[in-house]
Amino acid sequence: MILRKLSYSLIFTFLFSTSVASKEEVFVSKVKQSFTIKNTPETEKEYKSRLKNIESILQRYGSNSDSPLLFIGNEEKTIEYSKKINGGTFVVSKPQSPRFFEVVYKVSAPGFNDNSYIRLNREAASGKVYELSPNSVKPVSSFKKEDRILYENITDKNTEHQKLLLIFANRLIETGICYSVISGAKYTLDSATLFCGDGMKYTQTLMQITNNKNIEHRVVKSYAVF
């Protein structure tokens, strides 16, 4: 089991996009009495376009989609802005490396050195190239499935709900939907969202997890309805 501190920036991205269990359903979950979160899955056209863009990125950088690696090095950031606010410090930083356990691919295209790797965000269909030490990456195939989950970052105070979160995480790994699960939590009263190392996020209600409902590979736009 590998333990790692949660990167809190992941939490705030939830309100912008997340993935749900079924492409043909639209789920509305109550977060507060004042508003609800509505999730709209991407269309078939958007889905195919995203997959095409991902394939184009991999081809452009000469990367082999069948050889995913996990970043296991130290996360590096540069502070771009810092300000004292109400006794605390507000900091804006820019990552100089992938996050721990994010998925990367070796870059083999001309013009790049031997230490070039691309972090592929499958949800956004975008990529970023980093210069990394070969010792900071490791093939996904070299890990046991249960060791590709950052358990410390997937927590809930309710013991039964915690068990469901871990069932969900293990299911994502077992089915091959995710190469790694880097964090997750219950962000509404009745649903959980897990964040994978390839930039994808998946959401299911606790009942869907309990009933072992199939997980669809879809991106979902989320917004508040007041």
Side-chain angles (χ1 to χ4, degrees):
M1 181 186 298
I2 298 180
L3 304 180
R4 194 74 176 181
K5 291 184 177 179
L6 171 62
S7 176
Y8 290 98
S9 62
L10 291 172
I11 295 175
F12 300 107
T13 62
F14 170 72
L15 292 179
F16 294 97
S17 61
T18 184
S19 297
V20 294
S22 176
K23 61 176 180 290
E24 61 273 338
E25 294 177 308
V26 174
F27 299 110
V28 179
S29 302
K30 291 184 178 180
V31 180
K32 294 182 179 180
Q33 291 184 351
S34 57
F35 68 93
T36 58
I37 298 297
K38 186 173 182 179
N39 301 317
T40 305
E42 64 186 343
T43 64
E44 184 69 15
K45 182 178 179 180
E46 291 171 331
Y47 175 66
K48 290 182 178 179
S49 176
R50 180 170 60 84
L51 295 185
K52 184 177 180 180
N53 290 338
I54 290 171
E55 183 62 29
S56 176
I57 291 171
L58 291 171
Q59 290 179 356
R60 187 186 317 150
Y61 290 97
S63 299
N64 185 353
S65 61
D66 294 326
S67 300
L69 307 158
L70 295 185
F71 178 71
I72 57 172
N74 295 320
E75 297 179 17
E76 298 179 7
K77 300 178 182 179
T78 56
I79 296 177
E80 295 190 332
Y81 177 79
S82 179
K83 184 178 181 179
K84 296 287 185 179
I85 300 178
N86 297 328
T89 303
F90 176 76
V91 177
V92 175
S93 60
K94 182 178 181 180
Q96 298 299 318
S97 73
R99 292 190 178 95
F100 189 79
F101 255 32
E102 281 193 324
V103 180
V104 298
Y105 297 86
K106 185 82 170 66
V107 173
S108 302
F112 294 91
N113 66 38
D114 291 339
N115 293 331
S116 296
Y117 298 84
I118 184 169
R119 176 184 59 79
L120 183 63
N121 185 321
R122 290 184 176 273
E123 180 174 297
S126 63
K128 182 175 177 58
V129 175
Y130 294 96
E131 302 296 323
L132 304 174
S133 165
N135 295 327
S136 68
V137 297
K138 192 173 180 180
V140 169
S141 59
S142 66
F143 291 87
K144 293 180 180 178
K145 289 182 178 180
E146 62 269 25
D147 290 338
R148 289 192 260 136
I149 299 172
L150 297 186
Y151 293 91
E152 189 180 61
N153 295 346
I154 305 172
T155 60
D156 192 271
K157 293 180 180 179
N158 184 302
T159 302
E160 292 304 313
H161 293 177
Q162 170 73 9
K163 290 179 181 178
L164 289 175
L165 286 173
L166 295 181
I167 288 173
F168 191 12
N170 278 282
R171 194 173 295 155
L172 285 170
I173 298 295
E174 290 288 342
T175 56
I177 294 176
C178 293
Y179 290 127
S180 63
V181 179
I182 58 180
S183 67
K186 249 176 39 198
Y187 292 100
T188 70
L189 295 176
D190 64 347
S191 67
T193 296
L194 296 185
F195 298 82
C196 296
D198 61 1
M200 290 292 292
K201 300 182 285 292
Y202 297 92
T203 296
Q204 283 197 325
T205 65
L206 301 181
M207 185 62 67
Q208 288 170 339
I209 298 172
T210 300
N211 293 336
N212 195 23
K213 179 159 183 160
N214 289 337
I215 306 167
E216 292 287 351
H217 307 199
R218 297 279 165 162
V219 170
V220 171
K221 297 177 182 178
S222 299
Y223 54 93
V225 179
F226 293 88

